[in-house]
Amino acid sequence: MNTILVLNPNTSEAMTEDIAKSAEQAASPQTETIVTNPDIGPESLESYYEYHLAAIAMLETIADYRGEVDGVVIACYGDPGLYPLKEVFDVPVVGVAEASLATATLLGHRFSILVALPRAIPMMENMVHWYGLSNRLASVESTNLSVLELEEDKDETVDALSRAGERAKDAGAEVLILGCSGMAGLQKRVAERTAVPVIDPVENAVKMVGLLAEQGLVQSEAGLYQTPPKKDIRGDMPGDLSR
Amino acid sequence: MNTILVLNPNTSEAMTEDIAKSAEQAASPQTETIVTNPDIGPESLESYYEYHLAAIAMLETIADYRGEVDGVVIACYGDPGLYPLKEVFDVPVVGVAEASLATATLLGHRFSILVALPRAIPMMENMVHWYGLSNRLASVESTNLSVLELEEDKDETVDALSRAGERAKDAGAEVLILGCSGMAGLQKRVAERTAVPVIDPVENAVKMVGLLAEQGLVQSEAGLYQTPPKKDIRGDMPGDLSR
Amino acid sequence: MNTILVLNPNTSEAMTEDIAKSAEQAASPQTETIVTNPDIGPESLESYYEYHLAAIAMLETIADYRGEVDGVVIACYGDPGLYPLKEVFDVPVVGVAEASLATATLLGHRFSILVALPRAIPMMENMVHWYGLSNRLASVESTNLSVLELEEDKDETVDALSRAGERAKDAGAEVLILGCSGMAGLQKRVAERTAVPVIDPVENAVKMVGLLAEQGLVQSEAGLYQTPPKKDIRGDMPGDLSR
Amino acid sequence: MNTILVLNPNTSEAMTEDIAKSAEQAASPQTETIVTNPDIGPESLESYYEYHLAAIAMLETIADYRGEVDGVVIACYGDPGLYPLKEVFDVPVVGVAEASLATATLLGHRFSILVALPRAIPMMENMVHWYGLSNRLASVESTNLSVLELEEDKDETVDALSRAGERAKDAGAEVLILGCSGMAGLQKRVAERTAVPVIDPVENAVKMVGLLAEQGLVQSEAGLYQTPPKKDIRGDMPGDLSR
Amino acid sequence: MNTILVLNPNTSEAMTEDIAKSAEQAASPQTETIVTNPDIGPESLESYYEYHLAAIAMLETIADYRGEVDGVVIACYGDPGLYPLKEVFDVPVVGVAEASLATATLLGHRFSILVALPRAIPMMENMVHWYGLSNRLASVESTNLSVLELEEDKDETVDALSRAGERAKDAGAEVLILGCSGMAGLQKRVAERTAVPVIDPVENAVKMVGLLAEQGLVQSEAGLYQTPPKKDIRGDMPGDLSR
Amino acid sequence: MNTILVLNPNTSEAMTEDIAKSAEQAASPQTETIVTNPDIGPESLESYYEYHLAAIAMLETIADYRGEVDGVVIACYGDPGLYPLKEVFDVPVVGVAEASLATATLLGHRFSILVALPRAIPMMENMVHWYGLSNRLASVESTNLSVLELEEDKDETVDALSRAGERAKDAGAEVLILGCSGMAGLQKRVAERTAVPVIDPVENAVKMVGLLAEQGLVQSEAGLYQTPPKKDIRGDMPGDLSR
């Protein structure tokens, strides 16, 4: 039995509940999940500035679970804090975005990411470039709905996602990824409407961390994710793990 | 409960047994595996010519399991027949190579593939290029042992793999992948010796197909893997699914 | 005098005749052509599944000509069976697609491929990626005519090709390639209408194999195309060259 | 007259002094510099974890200078906190690394970065990939000296840098970049020994921010660096600019 | 005090005057500029043929200034003659295009180049590819105005540039570059209209050469830009520096 | 019958004779060749500066043959003047380098270029990048012999080429290209020694221009190679085609 910590990096409890629903779908006899969010930090994450605050906040939170969990999921599309968390934890840490891309590579040659507002487009394109997967990205498509609007009227949201999905297919997408936690629970309806596989990144990432943990696989200590050397941190900083 | 068909594409029963051992490690309360090989075709696969013969042979074999399995693993590093099988089956079909690369992307920035003989190097480099993942490949390293030799003396094989792994680390690898079924069962020993994560592609792929099946995800019908239209096949050809 | 075997990989004699017309245009005092097709296999090729069946069928056919021809052309845009045939034959084997791309690089910076139906688009894009030439591909454009329709009304086909060619030029194409044997014989009319160079892949490939043969050049035995080692093939398989 | 804030992102005053020396070289009648470091955070930066702590610490520090400076230099090779700082400030913010790469593109086709210890190599390679400039990177070379050792014996450091520079030239480098502030002041001696242009990133970045400020150029509000929307930050977090 | 030679590569004095206006904006207490054009060669440059003639003409002109200037700017977007001039001069030689791209990398992730007529589009795309920066290019957009028309009605030109800029933003551009000297002096108006940073390449390049000269940086003698060996040039050729 | 002009871009008659020998091997009943060199310009070409002088000189020479030849080969590895000549002539113009790369793509996945002295390495690497074929380049290898030395002792030259070829094979090359006219006539001996296909670029390019001419194919008037508009050229410049 593995315990997976599913961490919503922002401080919105409403979103943590959405994430919990997706995480539940990934439940299995081998996997138990804890879903939570930090006590401090931004209510939502739409910029690198907020990503950095959230990363610090998550470091605080996860420190409490050290030794008690077998894997960690960062449950915000965009994978804020992914690299620092991979460095400092000795259980597998997986971002919902990187896991969704890994899964998408098995389902089609090119995939698209559906996001809430247009401002996310360059950040998502950049993230896929960082992961070295740009030549398998068909497009990033916006629903033009804010996170709040996504949650208001689910039928309308399915409509907006399906329209974005059709644009994605025109751009060559064979697989769609729901790039915002506010889209949780709509995977099957959008898949039916667009007739292509649709990935729920939270459900998928929980299963992916399980897959790693069951094989005894943890991010490498060689190269990019090696554990930082112990050193003095001046001042009283949240996220200071040397305390 | 999902039933996964694990298919050794060549006709060597010895290798099918090796593969069965790796597949067993992936067993779980949700997953049952059937491990088999075609009745016809080459004894081992070292060329595109043999890959094509094996693909035809697999088509014959899998046709027998249509409707009875929830997923298929092609258990030969190199993924022979992957695209045709993805096209014609309506359950998830996964190659051990493509699945190992998907997993490796979560464990480090760059990975290396360890192969038996040098002749596999250009084929593996080419395969990673096809999958669009060349910029995360550190190198392909040969043990200079034939498949037979790999199986003879396991201690020597661990030595050879560890030496190849060290060369891979010098080339920037953070993760190693055992790129030949004859290396089955050595994952943990090589990981210990090289101090980096080591992936057993068969074990990993069985789990990955499970992960897809549990989420109801199948390769896309849009784009590259769409089902071929029905049409006349002249003559009596193995692999003819229109019969 | 070189004898070039021009092989239509499918079993449609009508298409073999079209191919023969293009091959004739390539005739010269130094080059004689034999145009034929396999006895077995699919009537047309629109998927990787059919490509694999056709590859096996071609292996059967070409075996009959071993020692009698100085070069082989695979006359189906998409180059089915190209890698296995390059491996097992010791005369130059050239696909009409790869040859058309090689020629196009000398005529403009970016080229487009005109295909029959949209389903060919991802396969052609993928093929160009495999060949490492994606950054010189402007687009793949569909005429939205089936192979049958292409042959029905040649004036309408020229219209459809010219419209597709104009879209290609808008996408940056400087050179057009007729990506289907059903377009044979229309090269000059489309070139006149679009005012850019248009390549007939069959005519071009026959000349290209001649160019190689006259220089004594054959695909390399080092690397990707090395001859497979002799080994046992179990069962009675078409394409088994060890018999 | 422009005032440029040169920010050492770590809390080592010794390193701030080194940086001040390089910054001085960039002094001009148009440019005044303020060199400082945050009050809180790590003593040195060797991981993404520490980069994130430093980014938060810098946000605190820079907030004090808002409205008083015409440009900001992040003076740690690796550009920690670059994206968040570009987002939240309305004067040009430049990282010493990105500026050094921009300058290097004008001096040769390929450049190498010289770093202190090998652990920096994958981080620097990754950074150059993020900036989309990998095809102009020849290599990242380590001196195998820690930051402390770099400062101890300057003659030995010049020797180590020159040896690393020769390896870089063998790898195709035409330009060298001193990728650590502990190498400040050695630019001319290394250039003399290796006979290629050597960039001091701090001096260069101060001038580069000046060049931007004098032209009225600030990072774009469209796309990646747009200002984050105002929102609630829960808790008392350093780096919270909404206070 | 540095003296920068700003060279209009064509023989149009009207354009030399435009360039002089942009160069003036870059004036500073440290920098003096000489703006001139060759006595021979084409009136405007729209092809590689004309680029080559202009390169030869510039070699003649610059030879006169050898030893008297501290840097050279090639003031035609497209950087004609850049590589030969970098090879033969021992002061920094910078093209306005390469300098604009270097600067743009600091202001946004992706940039667009605005050009006069569509025929410049493939040349500019190719140039950015040569510089290895294609993945940061959003698009090249044409105003559909000839160089003459650009100069006629400045209000209309600002309109045309702003419309092209909006198309560029739709294509993902965060930064715009005025890719023609006839657009000189319109930087601020276009920036106001499009609300993104706009680069005047001449002003920027003069400052960039200053930045290099002040740091003692000259293009590398290793690799691509090494000085050609002395050798016999037959005949009486303009551009022959061995005389 | 096609007449192909084979142009040695430098003024060395000795090298023109070498080229003539290679061109002869390409003779056929359909193809007649004229081999010549310009009256003016450098004796050998080792820099972009010299490439530009040679381009101007070739423009002079070819103007004399306008209307009399059916194709042009630029017979210096590096393809000096290729783009201007493609623009201004209305028969196919092919560089020996671009043609050798096109041919090499049909013979193996990766190729290497063998050059005289190391200074050619970055120029050749850059050229292959320009042509968009870097991912099929294994390496550029130097014989460390000057052009003069290459011609002195043919046995020693074959030794040096074979040693360079073996290094190339270690780097992954499946095909070798003789990247200097001084290596003419050694193709077969080096192929025998290295057991991989070896391309003589002059022989190959003559045949390739024949292949284009016989198909009525000329470089495109759309895009990169469109004919320059007529315009005034000031002064008396060699290469001025408006006279």
Side-chain angles (χ1 to χ4, degrees), chain C residues 29 106 174 207 214 220, chain F residues 30 86 106 174 207 214 220:
Chain C
L106 306 176
E174 305 168 33
K207 287 191 171 294
E214 287 162 30
S220 182
Chain F
Q30 288 95 47
K86 283 195 191 254
L106 306 176
E174 304 167 35
K207 287 190 171 294
E214 287 162 31
S220 182

Side-chain angles (χ1 to χ4, degrees), chain E residues 99-123:
Chain E
S100 73
L101 304 184
T103 296
T105 65
L106 306 176
L107 299 172
H109 190 65
R110 294 207 285 160
F111 50 82
S112 282
I113 301 167
L114 309 185
V115 297
L117 291 173
R119 63 175 300 134
I121 295 177
M123 291 179 82

Side-chain angles (χ1 to χ4, degrees), chain A residues 64-78:
Chain A
D64 297 341
Y65 290 93
R66 225 187 239 272
E68 291 170 37
V69 297
D70 304 292
V72 177
V73 168
I74 301 175
C76 169
Y77 214 86

Side-chain angles (χ1 to χ4, degrees), chain D residues 106, chain E residues 72-80 82 86 92-101 131 201-202 204-206 208-209:
Chain D
L106 306 175
Chain E
V72 176
V73 168
I74 302 176
C76 169
Y77 213 86
D79 294 349
L82 180 65
K86 282 195 190 254
V93 176
V94 162
V96 292
E98 63 166 353
S100 73
L101 304 184
Y131 293 161
V202 174
N204 179 65
V206 172
M208 196 66 97
V209 173

Side-chain angles (χ1 to χ4, degrees), chain F residues 3-10 12-27 31-39 61 65 69 71-76 96 181 202-203 206:
Chain F
T3 303
I4 309 297
L5 178 65
V6 181
L7 200 52
N8 172 18
N10 65 45
S12 154
E13 271 100 14
M15 203 165 288
T16 304
E17 279 167 43
D18 281 340
I19 289 165
K21 272 180 242 154
S22 282
E24 247 162 65
Q25 292 181 281
T31 311
E32 179 182 64
T33 58
I34 302 169
V35 185
T36 187
N37 59 256
D39 295 328
T61 309
Y65 290 94
V69 297
V72 177
V73 168
I74 301 176
C76 168
V96 293
S181 301
V202 174
E203 178 186 357
V206 172

Side-chain angles (χ1 to χ4, degrees), chain E residues 11 46 49 87 231 234, chain F residues 11 46 49 87 231 234:
Chain E
T11 49
E46 302 174 84
Y49 162 61
E87 284 176 344
K231 72 183 57 158
R234 207 196 283 181
Chain F
T11 49
E46 301 173 86
Y49 162 60
E87 286 176 342
K231 73 183 53 157
R234 207 195 284 180

Side-chain angles (χ1 to χ4, degrees), chain F residues 96-123:
Chain F
V96 293
E98 63 165 355
S100 73
L101 304 185
T103 296
T105 64
L106 306 176
L107 300 172
H109 191 66
R110 295 207 284 160
F111 50 81
S112 283
I113 299 167
L114 309 185
V115 297
L117 292 173
R119 65 175 298 135
I121 294 177
M123 291 179 82

